[in-house]
Amino acid sequence: MYEGIVQDLIDELGRLPGVGPKGAQRIAFHILAADPADVARLAHALSEVKEKVRFCSICGNVTEEQTCRICRDPRRDQTILCVVEEPKDVVAIEKTREFRGRYHVLGGAISPIEGIGPDDLRIRELVARLADGTIVEVILATDPNLEGEATATYLARMISPLGVAVSRLASGLPVGGDLEYADEVTLGRAFEGRRRV
Amino acid sequence: MYEGIVQDLIDELGRLPGVGPKGAQRIAFHILAADPADVARLAHALSEVKEKVRFCSICGNVTEEQTCRICRDPRRDQTILCVVEEPKDVVAIEKTREFRGRYHVLGGAISPIEGIGPDDLRIRELVARLADGTIVEVILATDPNLEGEATATYLARMISPLGVAVSRLASGLPVGGDLEYADEVTLGRAFEGRRRV
């Protein structure tokens, strides 16, 4: 309905998650009326992120360096590893201030429906990190939903024989939800009450 | 919580209308995982719009040329003018295919609370368009809210003495809705504006 490039922008915005056609139109007209410097900053932020952000070579978290801030921090406990699905889960857990170990980001969860198997996740890298015996405890902090539970069960079976203590976040997280949406207290309690599996 | 440029992007996205902090985070991680070409296209669309889109010198609608597609179209009736608040209202009316005249975009509505007076809108341009007598009817299609009604009343008083027919869009029950859910003002308007069948 709009002329060329306005419609192009609406189409591009409409492809973002959580932005419907009406929302895309609203954002497009906000952009039309906005200060050019603000829009340039947004366009720049988009390009920068794609250009500079990569994944930490140790844990798989997002970073601008070879390794992420947490893996580089010598004050973090190297003997405890928390396994999560996505980088945003790292942020959620960091907010609780309950955990002082390091992370391992799988890049998703096992999901036969979506065709994601163990080989599509960073499980081989996880096993490699456990090889030298530095890590004595692994906390499985995958999402408390079907895929996350399946992934945790799979990892527990694989890691337990290596002589590493394996635990799962305690119930207290609402089942069927996403880890990133849990409130900080609930997530903190879940850390406190983790159980051996 | 995130490192530098990822947080920058989340901040920039969070400033868009209708995008909250969680939504901004979700979009940012979508961008991180997206095809670089898709993201480049979005960044380009943003810059293009700010660089190339301007306002039609006749009606105030958005366009990439000196004048917009509707003002350039010789098949559109030059004697009827529809006055709207925003360019998106033009799109909404065009979708109905009920109107074959031309438009005048005010760029907002009179709102003392927000400090928007008649001089901040394209009212002077509207009066200038009525001067040569080509336009014989003006349809006031401002929003059916307090500001839109006030603007319509103001314009009707200004235009009527010029010998131009002035009308206002009908208020009434939305088609496809339930009578019992209509608010009292709308239902009252529907009674006032009842038509013989």
Side-chain angles (χ1 to χ4, degrees), chain A residues 1-3 5 12 17 25 29-32 34 39 41 46 49-50 52-53 64 69 91 180-181, chain B residues 1-3 5 12 17 22 25 30-32 34 39 41 46 49-50 52-53 64 69 87-88 91:
Chain A
M1 286 308 293
Y2 292 94
E3 292 186 45
I5 56 181
E12 293 298 335
Q25 187 177 308
F29 277 99
H30 167 87
I31 300 249
L32 278 172
V39 179
R41 232 177 24 244
L46 284 165
V49 150
K50 286 311 280 185
K52 295 198 180 157
V53 171
E64 291 168 50
R69 207 173 39 179
V91 175
E180 60 169 321
Y181 295 121
Chain B
M1 284 309 292
Y2 292 94
E3 292 186 42
I5 56 181
E12 292 299 335
K22 286 276 178 189
Q25 187 177 308
H30 167 87
I31 301 259
L32 278 173
V39 179
R41 235 180 22 245
L46 284 165
V49 149
K50 284 314 278 186
K52 295 197 180 158
V53 171
E64 292 167 49
R69 209 171 38 177
K88 55 193 166 201
V91 175

Side-chain angles (χ1 to χ4, degrees), chain B residues 40-154:
Chain B
R41 235 180 22 245
L42 173 58
H44 181 72
L46 284 165
S47 312
E48 279 268 296
V49 149
K50 284 314 278 186
E51 217 170 275
K52 295 197 180 158
V53 171
R54 39 185 174 167
F55 297 98
C56 172
S57 62
I58 299 171
C59 75
N61 195 4
V62 290
T63 178
E64 292 167 49
E65 318 276 328
Q66 179 69 22
T67 56
C68 77
R69 209 171 38 177
I70 295 168
C71 286
R72 283 198 307 269
D73 187 344
R75 292 164 303 177
R76 305 287 301 218
D77 189 340
Q78 302 207 28
T79 64
I80 307 182
L81 196 67
C82 180
V83 177
V84 297
E85 293 181 18
E86 305 285 353
K88 55 193 166 201
D89 300 327
V90 172
V91 175
I93 293 169
E94 284 295 286
K95 277 186 188 157
T96 69
R97 297 171 184 276
E98 286 282 337
F99 181 66
R100 297 296 305 162
R102 298 193 172 177
Y103 292 93
H104 190 82
V105 181
L106 294 171
I110 296 170
S111 170
I113 291 169
E114 293 178 49
I116 300 170
D119 292 344
D120 301 311
L121 306 175
R122 297 181 66 259
I123 292 176
R124 209 172 302 117
E125 290 86 340
L126 173 62
V127 175
R129 289 181 78 178
L130 299 175
D132 70 357
T134 310
I135 294 159
V136 296
E137 184 181 353
V138 169
I139 301 170
L140 301 172
T142 51
D143 285 343
N145 56 23
L146 201 69
E147 292 80 14
E149 294 288 354
T151 308
T153 306
Y154 179 90

